[in-house]
Amino acid sequence: MDPLAPTALAVSSDFMDRIGSGLTLLRDHGKKVQKYLWKSKKLEVTKKSLKTQVNIVLVDARDLPDEISSNTNGLYCKFRLGNESHKSKQVTKSKPEWRERFNIYMYEDSNLEVKVWHKGKQKTFVGRCVIDLSQLERERTHELWQELEYGYGSIHMLVTLGGSERCVSTDNLTLANGVTHQPTITEEKYTWYRLENNWNEVGQLSVTVHGARGLSSLGLNGNIDAYCVLEVDNARVQTHAVRNSSDPTWNKNFIFNINDVTSTLDITIYDESIIQSMKGETLGKISIPLLRINNNEKKWYALKDRSKKHSAKGNCPRILLEMSLEWNPIKASLRVLSPKPTKYVEKPPKFSIPLIYNNLKFIKVVFDYIYLGNVYFKNTFEWENREKSALALGAWLLFWYFFRMWMMPLLLIVPFLPYWAMYRGNNCSQLLPILTDEDTSEEDSEIQKDDKTISTRLYELQDLTFTIKNGIDYIVSIIERLKNLINFSVPYLSYLAIIGLIVASIAFYLIPVNYLFMALGIYKFTRKAMNPNRVPNNDILDFISRVPDNEILKQWRELKVTESSISRSDSMKRR
């Protein structure tokens, strides 16, 4: 027997059988063990996520230190909430505006730390601040100007604390017996309605999002994790996500403080999946003007696509809403005279060739109407239609004979009257028409038609361009001529204008304005009788046409004559 050969272990066969059976059991139940471990991990994450999601809009900053260079893109903010962090884009110190939106998940730690840095040749710490999010009310957008602790200045933010996205909210659920559980309201209702309160808030909007139906999946797997985002100006809240359902039910109630009653409630439904979130795709959108809301009306609203012109994809996609708006008419009336609230986060406008074409076509139509109106107005003074000219002269004389300045606001009401009659005739229905799919398709039919040849389209575009160019050139020429009239480019015409204005001032001082305009009307209407061969014209425009514009002044500019050429020509003549 070889002494170096390994000897057999003295292990019983019973023990080996136990090890083999244990390995077999572990192998057979490996998937169950893995599933259990994954479930435990998921439960642990779910417990951590029961706090909330924080939506932050970083707007701008002010009063920053002067030591920072203002010409470089190096100013940025760094946010940290527990283990979550976010870094903003870099902007210049001369205009520190970010207008950037992002989300941070809040777990156990509720202190949001914000640090402001400047990255130039070297990294410079500007300041920091800490916000205790536990002190902020949930599902309400808070506008904060936060002072920096270790530095100068402050930063402007919008902070919104929402409900957990991984669990169903219990703030407002419809129970099995049909009773709705409403959140407890501790503050006094409608305190904003008193005039001594904040005049920037004109009312309150209550929106209950019950659910949606007929949503279409954007992914290949057909699953929909839908959640709803509601926005009024800069206030933004959202519901929780309902898993794997094309007919989600949220039953959430939100309250907005309204600063402008002419604002719009924008509702967008998103898919929470990672791929669709990265694409920014939506399941449906709708915009509802606040003034068109009927209080306590439970109503289905059809969802629109991204352009808000056509119906969204799906089986008649719609959302069930119940809204109520309470507002103070006195505050709201005064508020519309102040600047409209600026929306901090907006998508940049896109370059649209069909939109440019429609705008050019609209401007051409306006120029055509102005031209036709001017021709019709001139023909009225030429007595081509004696009945119309006689009626126009009589109406002109009667109007200015009885006219007083207090009547001017009443005259501005006249264009409202026919539309008011139509509005009252429709039983005070909504002024904005409800468009159907057929209407919207007819709207875009001119853009989508392909029966025209390329040469026809180019000719139409050329015609539009030249019409608009000529109109703009004429307006610019008139403005330049008025400027050159004032700066004495032609002194004779400038002195004539001064003398004419002085004479008009004396006439308005000595003679009532009614008689002056009556005399002007008689002069305009009798010119044809005094001179039958005259050409229709406008006296003021004819006078302005005598003043050169900038292009004519360039043509009038005299060039310098060089002396060397003169001396040479003289010397040649002498020889």
Side-chain angles (χ1 to χ4, degrees):
M1 188 176 193
D2 188 2
L4 298 178
T7 57
L9 294 176
V11 180
S12 63
S13 59
D14 186 25
F15 180 75
M16 293 299 296
D17 292 337
R18 290 181 181 179
I19 294 177
S21 60
L23 292 174
T24 303
L25 182 64
L26 183 61
R27 181 188 61 190
D28 294 339
H29 296 276
K31 292 183 179 180
K32 293 183 179 180
V33 173
Q34 184 181 7
K35 187 176 180 180
Y36 174 77
L37 294 175
W38 173 253
K39 185 177 180 180
S40 301
K41 183 178 179 181
K42 188 175 181 180
L43 287 174
E44 183 180 356
V45 173
T46 306
K47 290 180 180 179
K48 289 181 65 177
S49 66
L50 287 178
K51 285 290 184 179
T52 187
Q53 182 191 43
V54 184
N55 181 269
I56 300 175
V57 177
L58 178 60
V59 185
D60 54 6
R62 65 184 179 188
D63 302 331
L64 297 178
D66 297 330
E67 293 80 7
I68 303 175
S69 174
S70 60
N71 299 324
T72 57
N73 285 340
L75 192 68
Y76 66 93
C77 294
K78 201 167 184 179
F79 295 80
R80 180 172 293 277
L81 182 59
N83 295 326
E84 298 281 332
S85 63
H86 178 82
K87 181 181 177 182
S88 71
K89 61 183 179 182
Q90 296 184 6
V91 298
T92 59
K93 187 250 178 180
S94 59
K95 190 179 181 181
E97 291 185 358
W98 292 275
R99 299 199 176 189
E100 182 180 359
R101 184 191 301 276
F102 57 92
N103 294 325
I104 292 183
Y105 290 97
M106 184 174 72
Y107 298 106
E108 300 298 330
D109 191 1
S110 62
N111 291 324
L112 175 64
E113 182 186 39
V114 185
K115 292 183 179 179
V116 184
W117 294 85
H118 181 267
K119 187 176 182 181
K121 294 182 179 179
Q122 60 181 6
K123 194 174 180 181
T124 306
F125 178 71
V126 179
R128 70 181 287 272
C129 62
V130 178
I131 305 172
D132 187 3
L133 300 179
S134 62
Q135 302 299 321
L136 301 180
E137 182 182 356
R138 289 194 177 189
E139 295 179 347
R140 184 74 62 89
T141 300
H142 304 273
E143 187 168 4
L144 305 176
W145 275 101
Q146 199 70 20
E147 299 290 336
L148 300 178
E149 295 178 359
Y150 303 109
Y152 301 94
S154 57
I155 57 175
H156 185 196
M157 297 182 296
L158 301 179
V159 180
T160 306
L161 277 71
S164 173
E165 294 190 358
R166 295 191 177 94
C167 62
V168 178
S169 174
T170 58
D171 292 341
N172 188 356
L173 290 177
T174 303
L175 304 181
N177 56 2
V179 179
T180 303
H181 171 68
Q182 296 285 350
T184 304
I185 301 177
T186 57
E187 59 184 5
E188 186 180 354
K189 195 175 183 181
Y190 305 146
T191 56
W192 50 268
Y193 199 85
R194 300 175 183 175
L195 295 180
E196 63 269 15
N197 290 338
N198 185 6
W199 281 79
N200 291 328
E201 296 181 2
V202 302
Q204 281 187 347
L205 171 66
S206 175
V207 182
T208 302
V209 185
H210 292 283
R213 296 291 182 271
L215 302 180
S216 176
S217 174
L218 299 174
L220 298 176
N221 55 3
N223 296 332
I224 301 177
D225 300 336
Y227 67 96
C228 186
V229 175
L230 296 85
E231 295 180 271
V232 177
D233 294 332
N234 291 311
R236 183 182 188 273
V237 294
Q238 70 181 54
T239 65
H240 58 277
V242 177
R243 306 294 178 184
N244 301 327
S245 175
S246 60
D247 300 330
T249 300
W250 293 292
N251 288 323
K252 285 288 296 183
N253 179 265
F254 302 98
I255 295 178
F256 296 90
N257 291 330
I258 302 302
N259 298 325
D260 188 355
V261 75
T262 62
S263 298
T264 303
L265 171 64
D266 296 321
I267 300 177
T268 309
I269 300 179
Y270 293 94
D271 191 347
E272 198 189 30
S273 66
I274 298 177
I275 298 178
Q276 303 305 330
S277 299
M278 294 175 62
K279 290 182 179 179
E281 296 290 341
T282 62
L283 300 175
K285 285 185 175 182
I286 187 173
S287 295
I288 305 173
L290 299 184
L291 291 175
R292 298 180 64 184
I293 292 176
N294 296 324
N295 288 348
N296 301 320
E297 180 185 15
K298 198 172 182 180
K299 181 180 177 181
W300 287 100
Y301 291 86
L303 294 173
K304 303 178 182 179
D305 61 358
R306 183 169 50 186
S307 64
K308 295 183 182 180
K309 294 182 180 180
H310 306 278
S311 178
K313 294 181 180 180
N315 182 18
C316 187
R318 57 202 183 276
I319 186 171
L320 182 60
L321 302 174
E322 185 175 357
M323 297 174 287
S324 178
L325 175 66
E326 302 291 340
W327 52 289
N328 189 312
I330 299 176
K331 290 183 180 181
S333 302
L334 296 176
R335 182 63 177 166
V336 296
L337 302 177
S338 59
K340 194 173 182 179
T342 303
K343 198 163 185 179
Y344 297 129
V345 180
E346 285 185 329
K347 291 184 178 180
K350 294 183 178 180
F351 183 81
S352 175
I353 294 179
L355 180 61
I356 295 175
Y357 179 83
N358 288 337
N359 291 339
L360 291 176
K361 191 173 181 180
F362 174 76
I363 295 174
K364 181 181 181 297
V365 171
V366 172
F367 284 160
D368 290 341
Y369 274 112
I370 293 175
Y371 174 77
L372 293 175
N374 186 35
V375 172
Y376 182 80
F377 184 71
K378 288 181 179 179
N379 292 335
T380 304
F381 298 130
E382 302 303 317
W383 294 85
E384 294 183 359
N385 188 327
R386 295 181 178 274
E387 291 78 7
K388 288 184 179 180
S389 298
L391 289 174
L393 177 59
W396 179 273
L397 295 177
L398 287 174
F399 174 80
W400 286 109
Y401 181 79
F402 292 103
F403 176 77
R404 300 295 182 270
M405 282 303 298
W406 59 266
M407 298 180 182
M408 183 59 68
L410 296 178
L411 291 175
L412 298 178
I413 299 178
V414 173
F416 293 88
L417 297 179
Y419 295 99
W420 175 80
M422 294 171 58
Y423 172 70
R424 298 294 297 180
N426 293 331
N427 297 323
C428 299
S429 61
Q430 296 172 349
L431 293 178
L432 296 176
I434 300 176
L435 299 178
T436 61
D437 292 338
E438 297 179 357
D439 298 328
T440 53
S441 61
E442 291 177 0
E443 231 175 49
D444 302 334
S445 60
E446 296 183 0
I447 301 173
Q448 297 176 356
K449 283 181 180 179
D450 293 326
D451 54 350
K452 296 181 180 179
T453 62
I454 297 177
S455 59
T456 306
R457 290 181 181 275
L458 290 177
Y459 179 78
E460 290 181 354
L461 184 61
Q462 181 181 1
D463 183 41
L464 287 174
T465 305
F466 274 109
T467 303
I468 295 170
K469 175 186 175 299
N470 295 334
I472 294 176
D473 289 345
Y474 179 75
I475 295 173
V476 171
S477 177
I478 293 294
I479 296 174
E480 290 178 352
R481 291 174 191 271
L482 291 175
K483 175 187 173 184
N484 295 331
L485 178 66
I486 296 172
N487 62 19
F488 286 83
S489 295
V490 181
Y492 168 71
L493 297 177
S494 299
Y495 284 122
L496 279 182
I498 293 173
I499 294 172
L501 292 175
I502 293 175
V503 172
S505 178
I506 295 173
F508 277 110
Y509 179 76
L510 297 177
I511 306 173
V513 65
N514 306 66
Y515 299 133
L516 288 177
F517 279 100
M518 291 173 66
L520 176 64
I522 294 173
Y523 164 72
K524 287 283 189 181
F525 280 96
T526 56
R527 286 189 301 176
K528 183 68 173 179
M530 292 185 294
N531 185 11
N533 297 324
R534 63 176 295 275
V535 179
N537 70 319
N538 186 296
D539 301 333
I540 297 177
L541 291 179
D542 289 341
F543 174 77
I544 295 175
S545 65
R546 267 67 176 185
V547 183
D549 57 11
N550 292 346
E551 190 65 28
I552 297 177
L553 287 179
K554 290 178 182 179
Q555 298 174 5
W556 288 1
R557 186 179 302 164
E558 296 182 3
L559 299 177
K560 293 183 179 181
V561 180
T562 57
E563 296 180 0
S564 59
S565 61
I566 296 177
S567 60
R568 288 179 182 178
S569 61
D570 292 342
S571 61
M572 291 294 292
K573 289 179 181 180
R574 291 173 185 176
R575 291 179 183 179

